[in-house]
Amino acid sequence: VYGKHKFLVEEAIQETLDDLGLIVRTTTVYGWESAGKNFVSKFIKTLQEGKPFTVPNDQWATPTYVEDLSHAIVGLVTARKLGIYHAAGPDFLSRMEFAEIVAEVFALPKQLIQGISTPELKQPANRPLKGGLQTDKIQQELGIAFLTPLKALTKMSEQKNYIIPQLN
């Protein structure tokens, strides 16, 4: 349902705002943030507490570092680009592979990662198993290159749990 609604909004933008519409698609966004709700933030917190973390071992995506995403959006707006652009990380990884990289960078116990199939997770909303995006267009037109998860996570680890303060 979520994906269908996003598609319907994209269609409406293109039909009514074709001379103004910029659509940026992304997937699996991670980075420090105040609510701590993204996959990486939850994963780090859970493993630091010594608790196991269940990860789907059959879902694939192109994890996107939030700082790269924000720079890409600013670049697209500044260049007055229109249309649909994919803004995502360069590596097509399973959630399990991604979790293992996070654990490695943050020196967390990998034995607490528990792989499970998507049907076994029983998530309330369906998830695509192959959810990556190709970013050739944004790279060619703006020269934007996204960090690999290893490089982005290393950058995060050097920021020492930087959390963006909540705005009133």
Side-chain angles (χ1 to χ4, degrees):
V1 171
Y2 177 68
K4 183 179 180 180
H5 285 146
K6 288 195 318 185
F7 179 73
L8 291 172
V9 169
E10 286 181 4
E11 277 188 328
I13 289 169
Q14 289 176 312
E15 288 173 9
T16 58
L17 300 171
D18 63 336
D19 59 340
L20 295 174
L22 171 63
I23 297 164
V24 180
R25 293 179 181 160
T26 194
T27 182
T28 318
V29 179
Y30 65 94
W32 296 128
E33 46 96 5
S34 61
K37 291 186 176 185
N38 69 64
F39 175 82
V40 170
S41 296
K42 285 188 223 175
F43 180 82
I44 291 170
K45 183 178 186 296
T46 302
L47 266 64
Q48 283 178 337
E49 293 171 352
K51 298 176 187 172
F53 193 93
T54 304
V55 178
N57 55 19
D58 57 355
Q59 290 180 20
W60 291 69
T62 45
T64 309
Y65 185 45
V66 70
E67 287 185 22
D68 288 345
L69 177 61
S70 63
H71 292 301
I73 292 170
V74 168
L76 289 165
V77 171
T78 302
R80 300 186 185 276
K81 295 292 184 178
L82 302 175
I84 297 173
Y85 287 82
H86 291 180
D91 293 351
F92 186 60
L93 305 168
S94 71
R95 287 268 184 171
M96 181 62 91
E97 290 171 317
F98 187 42
E100 289 171 348
I101 294 170
V102 177
E104 181 180 320
V105 169
F106 285 87
L108 299 167
K110 288 184 182 180
Q111 68 272 19
L112 293 176
I113 306 170
Q114 299 177 342
I116 189 169
S117 72
T118 296
E120 291 175 296
L121 271 176
K122 298 179 182 168
Q123 293 171 300
N126 290 331
R127 299 288 195 275
L129 297 182
K130 305 289 183 197
L133 296 171
Q134 294 182 343
T135 59
D136 298 344
K137 182 178 176 182
I138 197 169
Q139 288 177 9
Q140 290 170 359
E141 292 186 23
L142 296 181
I144 292 174
F146 291 77
L147 294 176
T148 65
L150 180 60
K151 288 181 181 175
L153 290 162
T154 300
K155 184 175 179 179
M156 283 178 65
S157 74
E158 292 165 355
Q159 293 170 333
K160 302 291 183 207
N161 293 329
Y162 175 77
I163 303 293
I164 297 171
Q166 291 184 339
L167 302 176
N168 292 332

